[in-house]
Amino acid sequence: MGPFSRLDHEVPVAPVAVKIVSIVGARPQFIKAWPVSRALHQAGHTELLVHTGQHYDDTMSRVFFEELGLPEPHINLGIGSGPHGQQTGRMLEALEGVLSNQRPDWVLVYGDTNSTLAGALAAAKLHLPLAHVEAGLRTFDKHHPYPEEANRRMIDAVADLYFAHSDKARQHLLDEGVVASGSEIARREGLHHSTVNELLRLTLLEPAIIQAILAGKQPRCMSLLWFQRNPLPTDWVAQREVLSRFDA
């Protein structure tokens, strides 16, 4: 399926190699960028990977580049932590400089973090085409999750191409009027088979168990759950509640 484009103009998808600036800054974006970056290079496009430094310590940043084999960022802005407004403002200022110098054909952003918002605003102010991966995700409560829900709405308001992960996300964009009815959407299928195998290999499972799973010696039905939003990663009671919803 083709790209899901804005109401006011059709955005052509170039059949030739293009220059793309991909903006990442947080661990979910490193994982999402991994297969996309490989695909871009295989297709002959030029990608400049820019890391804002929103997540910066080894366990939140470097480990993903090392273990997933993601290329080192061409530019690391090293913004670090800070209040939301201050952090986003510093990112916006730095990214505007990068994009002004690079003048890419496309700016690619992922998700809904402050890094994503800063990249989207910088691209919009420089009149650069913006593609948003994970567009249309909504809770309709701007305070939950905070600041992600507010970020999502602002990012989609200035994007040119939308990559939504579900029919529901696609419908949200249609309902909000940011895209034309009947436009097509490029679906991001998420973690395909080879990616799941790679993630399984990189988990904390015992090596023998991993090899057995990948060799097909374990039952084929297996679920890989990712606890991300607070308080799930550290709250065992909350985790048990989630797990209780699954039929063993």
Side-chain angles (χ1 to χ4, degrees), residues 112 139 141-152 229:
D112 49 24
T139 65
D141 178 354
K142 67 180 181 180
H143 301 295
H144 179 73
Y146 177 83
E148 289 86 351
E149 177 69 8
N151 288 350
R152 296 165 184 164
R229 296 290 183 195

Side-chain angles (χ1 to χ4, degrees), residues 17 59 102:
T59 58
Q102 295 296 326

Side-chain angles (χ1 to χ4, degrees), residues 9-21:
H9 63 285
E10 289 299 321
V11 181
V13 178
V16 296
V18 296
K19 179 179 180 180
I20 300 167
V21 169

Side-chain angles (χ1 to χ4, degrees), residues 214-236:
L214 299 184
K217 296 179 181 179
Q218 292 291 321
R220 293 184 180 182
C221 181
M222 179 174 178
S223 296
L224 177 63
L225 301 182
W226 187 314
F227 293 106
Q228 178 181 325
R229 296 290 183 195
N230 287 330
L232 286 177
T234 56
D235 188 334
W236 290 105

